Amino acid sequence: MAELQPLSFAIFVLITLATIGISIYAARRVRTAGHYYVAGGGVRWVVNGFAIAGDYLSAASFLGITGLVAFSGYDGFIYAIGFLAGWIVALFLVAEPLRAIGKYTFADALTSKFKSKKIRLVAAISTLVISVFYLIPQMVGSGAIVGPLIGLDYEIGVVVIGALVILIVATAGMVSTTWVQFIKGFLLLIAAIALTIGVLVVAGMGPIEFLGQFLSGDVNIPTAGGGVNTVPGDVFMSPGMKYTNPLDFVSLAMGLILGTAALPHILIRYFTVPKPADARKSTVIAIVVMGIFYLLTLYLGLGANFFGTLDPSDANLAAPMLAMHIGGEAFYAIISSIAFATILGTVAGLIMASAGAIAHDIYTEVLGRKTDEKRALRISKATAISVGVIAIVLGILAKGQNVAFLVGLAFAIAASANLPALLCTLFWKRTTEWGIVTGIVVGLISSIALIVVSPAMMSEGALFSLFNPGIVSIPLGFAVTMGVSLLTSDRVKSEATEKTAG
Amino acid sequence: MSTILLATDGSLPALAATVRAVAEAKQRSATLVILRVVEQSPMTSLELASESAALQRPEGEDGIEYAKELAALDRVPTTVMVREGPVVGEIIRAAEETGAEMIVLGTSSLKRLNRLYLGSVAKSVVSQAPVSVLVVKPTKEETKMVKARVREVIEPSPAKAVAAITRTRQFRVGLYLFAAYVIGYSIFVLFGSYIRDVFQIPTFGLNVGLVSGILIIILTIALAIGFNAYAVRAEREE
């Protein structure tokens, strides 16, 4: 491939320049760390709602789910359902109380109760690990899309997007990130609607008729070797194509519903609105936008399968190739550029979360370097640049993996390490400092260890038979957090009485 | 039941007196009557500001909320009285009306002109009161401690901020909805994993798996919109 296409290139440059223009405009208002991390806490809920949707509908949702549905049918759709279901946890349990106690970062919220440096340190580390796990698929997506779009090689594509994001984040922080996300969330919704309408019009069928016709016939799935795998439609449209082991299905579903409300880069979005009620309202906006979008991914994926716009060597390209088939090169360029902007925005949000963890949590709070705001701001920007560089390197190494699958792992890690700590801090009075510290550490280590010994990493003789570690590591995270809390609660109580007596 | 009368104007000595009064009321398991007397002659805002400065009154604080919060922490029952009129007279009258066994108030070592201008309420109350009067004159350390507690009460602790949300009716309704949703999702996952045959049964021109998946998405949207509408209405009523 690697051939420059002038029209695609022009549209791509236009969207990218618009994004950078917004950042530079927004950067003029950034003067303090509060502005940098959470946009001064003054974002309107409607804007934040779209920005949350923009943040969340990453390359994994647009490129990854479309590809998975196209190749695995119903098992791809389960990602769409799980990604959305996770927001119910955020809406009913997390959004409002979190806004009431948090300031800049996820660790801030956890330490509001115990003022503990240990908690802050482990929370910052888990923020970093999860964000990096989430970053890898975004970089993979960017490399996959930039290549065919403007004629660059995969590696150069990853470097280009990395450099752009670093520029955006380093100049303006959360204000520009918010606006980039807002615009992107909006564009993505429009793109998905346009593509779906295109699929139905070109196929000449109604929405239910289109889904129904898959059940009656056979479905062709191209394989990497150049052949075609034909399966009956009702098998394709039922669980079991990808997740032959039912337990794998359960583990994934669990990781997805519990992981969302524990993703650090999503949680920090709640600190950008003024009031707890605004946090709830922006969640509702986000759910509406994302719900519509995920419903449409079913049509995008099946459309790609229907028209045979599939590249077995890279499932992530199903959506742009579908656009090419339906609307020609211009439409293809627009869709690809929006996908690119999608990645740009999500990576910016992730790097913001990582920068907050290192600069605010570890440097300022744990190491106790109480420096002036200007210096703190410089350090966050330096962090943003280094995390960006790390993401570029990892993105190049992970070439060819399905992005929705990779993101599913990030969800499982977040659900195992962060969710028990967050829910216990908010709702369980007997939680102790040590309960939170050990819970995060055990959740983090166990989920990563299970991924390392899973079939995805060890092709033969995997020690752990499931692709997603959620079903083991999430209950373990909760059990350790609560168990250790109960074991250490007596000591805390006697310390407390000593304090009041003294 | 016995009662203790606390006269407060939100000044630092009065806040220190509040701490003592709550402790006394708790020890005697008495009701704490919180009295705030508003001076009869209407003051201009400049006069009010200069008085606040002279009495070292923390901004925007008339002492009632602080006393209520402190008493609530120690589970001391309270009644609030706001009176208008001459300060000393109203304190004495309130003590007689409530049958208070003790009056608690604060006083400060006013300097020079301020002393002349404000006089001493405490002195007059002591000489005219029918019962014992506890006049609290806080030391420097006590003042510091009171200031810290004021900040704590005015800026609620994280636990209180969370409790303020989780205690609301809408949050509890949300919990029930959440539980119902999780049960629904679990049933869906169970069918998708171990009872997969059911997902293949044709319905509405599709199959059960597709219909239930699409329904979950639509239900999630409807639930979010409906809950928000309910919560917004509940917040307006508060």
Side-chain angles (χ1 to χ4, degrees):
Chain A
M1 47 184 182
E3 200 177 299
L4 189 76
Q5 295 166 333
L7 179 63
S8 310
F9 188 70
I11 294 173
F12 169 76
V13 168
L14 204 69
I15 288 190
T16 313
L17 281 182
T19 315
I20 294 173
I22 295 162
S23 313
I24 292 172
Y25 178 77
R28 300 176 315 160
R29 302 211 311 242
V30 176
R31 278 181 209 95
T32 66
H35 271 124
Y36 186 76
Y37 290 124
V38 291
V43 178
R44 285 213 191 87
W45 55 268
V46 179
V47 174
N48 194 43
F50 269 92
I52 289 175
D55 227 331
Y56 196 67
L57 299 176
S58 64
S61 293
F62 188 45
L63 304 177
I65 293 182
T66 305
L68 273 174
V69 171
F71 282 91
S72 310
Y74 197 87
D75 278 353
F77 189 41
I78 186 72
Y79 273 94
I81 298 166
F83 276 145
L84 184 66
W87 282 96
I88 288 294
V89 183
L91 175 66
F92 288 130
L93 299 184
V94 174
E96 291 185 72
L98 181 74
R99 179 62 194 94
I101 62 171
K103 197 177 160 205
Y104 295 154
T105 64
F106 169 65
D108 274 340
L110 289 190
T111 48
S112 66
K113 191 169 173 183
F114 294 109
K115 316 263 178 280
S116 153
K117 282 188 178 177
K118 289 183 217 87
I119 292 182
R120 195 178 278 280
L121 184 66
V122 292
I125 291 171
S126 100
T127 297
L128 273 180
V129 172
I130 294 161
S131 297
V132 167
F133 253 86
Y134 212 102
L135 268 172
I136 299 170
Q138 310 303 327
M139 298 319 257
V140 171
S142 71
I145 216 163
V146 170
L149 177 64
I150 52 174
L152 293 174
D153 287 331
Y154 175 89
E155 289 76 11
I156 299 175
V158 171
V159 173
V160 166
I161 198 157
L164 280 175
V165 168
I166 290 170
L167 186 67
I168 291 174
V169 175
T171 48
M174 204 57 169
V175 183
S176 63
T177 308
T178 300
W179 284 103
V180 169
Q181 302 286 39
F182 173 74
I183 293 167
K184 162 207 148 174
F186 192 70
L187 285 178
L188 200 56
L189 188 63
I190 302 226
I193 292 173
L195 256 178
T196 306
I197 292 174
V199 166
L200 295 177
V201 167
V202 174
M205 283 184 252
I208 294 184
E209 189 189 356
F210 179 75
L211 296 181
Q213 56 86 24
F214 272 91
L215 291 164
S216 43
D218 282 346
V219 176
N220 297 321
I221 307 159
T223 56
V228 173
N229 182 14
T230 303
V231 295
D234 59 337
V235 171
F236 187 70
M237 298 302 274
S238 305
M241 284 293 294
K242 186 177 169 71
Y243 296 106
T244 39
N245 181 351
L247 211 52
D248 239 333
F249 187 93
V250 178
S251 189
L252 173 70
M254 203 166 149
L256 293 181
I257 192 175
L258 296 177
T260 303
L263 291 171
H265 75 287
I266 295 294
L267 295 178
I268 56 171
R269 291 235 60 92
Y270 285 131
F271 303 139
T272 64
V273 291
K275 291 195 309 278
D278 294 331
R280 184 195 64 236
K281 288 178 196 163
S282 40
T283 314
V284 172
I285 296 271
I287 287 179
V288 172
V289 172
M290 292 181 299
I292 295 171
F293 179 85
Y294 283 129
L295 209 50
L296 298 180
T297 54
L298 187 60
Y299 288 91
L300 303 188
L302 292 177
N305 185 291
F306 185 75
F307 296 114
T309 56
L310 301 175
D311 178 355
S313 68
D314 198 343
N316 299 323
L317 286 174
M321 282 167 70
L322 175 68
M324 176 73 115
H325 179 85
I326 284 173
E329 198 197 325
F331 197 43
Y332 166 72
I334 291 171
I335 293 294
S336 296
S337 300
I338 290 174
F340 188 78
T342 297
I343 297 168
L344 213 60
T346 305
V347 174
L350 285 164
I351 291 184
M352 277 308 302
S354 315
I358 292 185
H360 174 69
D361 292 326
I362 294 182
Y363 185 82
T364 312
E365 297 288 338
V366 176
L367 297 179
R369 306 274 164 83
K370 302 273 183 204
T371 47
D372 58 311
E373 293 260 336
K374 259 192 185 157
R375 195 169 155 69
L377 206 53
R378 263 216 307 282
I379 288 158
S380 352
K381 289 179 176 179
T383 317
I385 294 171
S386 358
V387 176
V389 172
I390 294 171
I392 291 175
V393 175
L394 290 174
I396 290 173
L397 293 178
K399 182 179 181 178
Q401 294 272 0
N402 180 286
V403 293
F405 169 71
L406 289 174
V407 160
L409 300 181
F411 272 68
I413 300 173
S416 313
N418 288 356
L419 194 70
L422 184 59
L423 290 186
C424 287
T425 302
L426 288 177
F427 302 115
W428 199 44
K429 289 212 174 72
R430 303 179 67 178
T431 314
T432 65
E433 184 188 352
W434 279 111
I436 291 178
V437 171
T438 48
I440 291 178
V441 170
V442 170
L444 202 59
I445 291 176
S446 64
S447 52
I448 292 175
L450 288 176
I451 289 171
V452 170
V453 299
S454 77
M457 297 283 163
M458 303 171 77
S459 44
E460 269 172 52
L463 299 174
F464 182 66
S465 66
L466 302 179
F467 283 95
N468 194 298
I471 198 164
V472 175
S473 57
I474 297 170
L476 187 66
F478 273 99
V480 169
T481 308
M482 299 177 84
V484 172
S485 288
L486 287 178
L487 285 178
T488 52
S489 65
D490 294 339
R491 207 175 63 201
V492 172
K493 219 178 278 165
S494 61
E495 268 169 31
T497 31
E498 261 166 45
K499 248 177 227 162
T500 41
Chain B
M1 189 151 192
S2 58
T3 52
I4 286 180
L5 179 74
L6 165 74
T8 179
D9 59 357
S11 65
L12 276 173
L15 297 181
T18 308
V19 176
R20 298 274 190 96
V22 169
E24 282 290 338
K26 191 185 178 188
Q27 200 186 354
R28 304 174 183 210
S29 39
T31 304
L32 185 67
V33 178
I34 304 164
L35 174 70
R36 160 100 176 110
V37 184
V38 185
E39 199 89 60
Q40 194 180 29
S41 55
M43 280 192 279
T44 65
S45 60
L46 188 68
E47 279 174 313
L48 194 66
S50 66
E51 190 200 66
S52 286
L55 293 175
Q56 300 179 285
R57 185 184 287 155
E59 208 163 327
E61 173 68 15
D62 66 1
I64 294 176
E65 277 310 307
Y66 179 69
K68 268 164 64 183
E69 285 283 344
L70 271 188
L73 284 180
D74 277 343
R75 288 161 205 250
V76 169
T78 54
T79 18
V80 175
M81 298 172 89
V82 179
R83 292 291 179 83
E84 224 174 276
V87 180
V88 177
E90 287 303 326
I91 293 176
I92 303 295
R93 240 182 63 197
E96 280 164 359
E97 278 171 28
T98 57
E101 60 187 59
M102 185 192 228
I103 302 172
V104 184
L105 46 75
T107 190
S108 58
S109 329
L110 294 173
K111 304 259 164 61
R112 290 175 223 115
L113 270 179
N114 278 334
R115 171 159 226 141
L116 259 176
Y117 170 63
L118 292 166
S120 174
V121 170
K123 221 163 146 185
S124 312
V125 171
V126 169
S127 62
Q128 295 180 34
V131 291
S132 306
V133 179
L134 174 57
V135 178
V136 178
K137 199 167 189 177
T139 59
K140 254 188 193 158
E141 288 72 44
E142 209 172 346
T143 308
K144 221 189 223 167
M145 188 203 78
V146 167
K147 267 187 183 164
R149 293 211 76 166
V150 169
R151 230 168 279 134
E152 233 170 73
V153 170
I154 295 175
E155 283 170 28
S157 69
K160 249 192 237 161
V162 171
I165 290 166
T166 53
R167 263 201 306 254
T168 58
R169 192 162 45 109
Q170 59 266 34
F171 192 85
R172 233 170 295 146
V173 169
L175 283 184
Y176 288 123
L177 291 175
F178 174 73
Y181 189 92
V182 167
I183 292 169
Y185 185 77
S186 309
I187 294 172
F188 173 77
V189 171
L190 186 71
F191 276 100
S193 50
Y194 288 98
I195 321 177
R196 285 179 174 171
D197 302 347
V198 177
F199 269 19
Q200 296 188 2
I201 299 170
T203 21
F204 301 110
L206 304 172
N207 62 20
V208 171
L210 273 175
V211 170
S212 52
I214 291 169
L215 266 184
I216 285 190
I217 293 182
I218 294 172
L219 257 176
T220 308
I221 297 176
L223 197 60
I225 295 175
F227 174 69
N228 189 53
Y230 173 76
V232 166
R233 196 143 35 97
E235 273 159 13
R236 232 178 258 146
E237 277 168 18
E238 268 165 26

